[in-house]
């Protein structure tokens, strides 16, 4: 059995991007609008530098240079790194440990949307250490809720959808996984996940 865990909001605390928007002096709507650039790069629409960052096509430095150029806002720091201080959710880690105890042959992996600086911080802190492998959007160049994100993971792991389980705190990501036949749990808390996985028996 393959168990796929999202990271932010499931294994660690969720990053509050409003901290970044506040430093920039703009709203979230303005931020994402400024990330859509009409520079002729895409013949059928604007390029989305946020999506490019999340899928690893841009480094953080490249992203901020483009964002500064198009927004006119001076960027003094990589705010994504400066303000990112995730807290490990020990009760979820305990669920992962219990899964491995129950079935030592199972695979427990991370499937996460992230960006370069957040990925690096997680590595530095050892937040991925409990997983057999980590599939991060900035490394596989695909992001949730796109179904290709899950297809690549299943292919890499050599697992059929019916033999996989996925948990994420975002309903849209769970629905995308379900559309492929993957069993899911929309994460609310570790106790609910534990019950869904039958670890209380």
């Amino acid at each position: 059995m393959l168990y796929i865990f999202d990271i932010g909001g499931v294994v660690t605390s969720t990053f509050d991007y409003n901290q970044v928007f506040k430093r920039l002096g703009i709203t979230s709507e303005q931020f994402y609008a400024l990330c859509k650039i009409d520079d002729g790069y895409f013949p059928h629409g604007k390029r989305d530098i946020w999506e490019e960052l999340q899928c690893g096509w841009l480094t953080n430095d490249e992203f901020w240079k483009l964002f500064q150029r198009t927004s006119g806002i001076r960027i003094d720091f990589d705010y994504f790194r400066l303000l990112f201080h995730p807290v490990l959710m020990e009760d979820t880690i305990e669920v992962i440990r219990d899964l491995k105890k129950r079935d030592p042959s199972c695979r427990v992996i991370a499937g996460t949307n992230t960006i370069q600086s957040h990925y690096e911080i997680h590595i530095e802190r050892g937040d991925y250490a409990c997983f057999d492998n980590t599939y991060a959007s900035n490394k596989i160049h695909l992001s949730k809720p796109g179904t290709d994100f899950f297809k690549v993971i299943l292919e890499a792991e050599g697992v059929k959808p019916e033999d996989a389980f996925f948990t994420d705190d975002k309903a849209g990501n769970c629905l995308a996984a379900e559309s492929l036949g993957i069993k899911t749990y929309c994460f609310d808390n570790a106790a609910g996940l534990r019950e869904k996985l039958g670890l209380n028996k």
Side-chain angles (χ1 to χ4, degrees), residues 46-191:
K46 296 180 179 180
R47 66 186 290 194
D48 186 335
I49 60 172
W50 172 252
E51 180 67 17
E52 290 179 35
L53 176 65
Q54 192 168 240
C55 288
W57 300 116
L58 289 176
T59 65
N60 277 59
D61 286 345
E62 290 168 339
F63 171 86
W64 285 121
K65 285 176 183 176
L66 284 168
F67 187 86
Q68 178 171 276
R69 189 183 76 194
T70 58
S71 68
I73 300 171
R74 179 175 171 174
I75 305 300
D76 296 314
F77 305 99
D78 176 4
Y79 293 108
F80 299 135
R81 174 176 282 277
L82 180 71
L83 302 170
F84 189 54
H85 307 288
V87 177
L88 204 61
M89 297 165 67
E90 293 293 346
D91 49 357
T92 303
I93 300 299
E94 193 62 34
V95 169
I96 293 170
R97 291 194 189 106
D98 288 348
L99 274 175
K100 292 183 174 183
K101 286 178 187 175
R102 185 177 71 181
D103 180 10
S105 67
C106 76
R107 294 266 296 168
V108 185
I109 65 170
T112 180
N113 283 355
T114 192
I115 60 177
Q116 176 194 350
S117 54
H118 291 184
Y119 179 84
E120 290 170 354
I121 288 171
H122 282 307
I123 291 289
E124 291 162 9
R125 288 163 36 102
D127 292 340
Y128 300 141
C130 62
F131 295 105
D132 296 309
N133 206 345
T134 298
Y135 296 88
S137 61
N138 67 310
K139 292 297 183 181
I140 66 173
H141 305 306
L142 294 165
S143 64
K144 299 174 286 186
T147 54
D148 284 346
F149 178 89
F150 300 100
K151 289 177 181 177
V152 163
I153 291 174
L154 293 174
E155 183 175 7
E157 293 289 327
V159 171
K160 295 177 181 177
E162 58 267 27
D163 295 324
F165 175 91
F166 171 67
T167 185
D168 195 300
D169 60 321
K170 293 182 174 61
N173 294 339
C174 290
L175 287 171
E178 282 181 3
S179 73
L180 297 175
I182 298 171
K183 293 179 279 294
T184 69
Y185 173 71
C186 191
F187 187 89
D188 181 38
N189 54 59

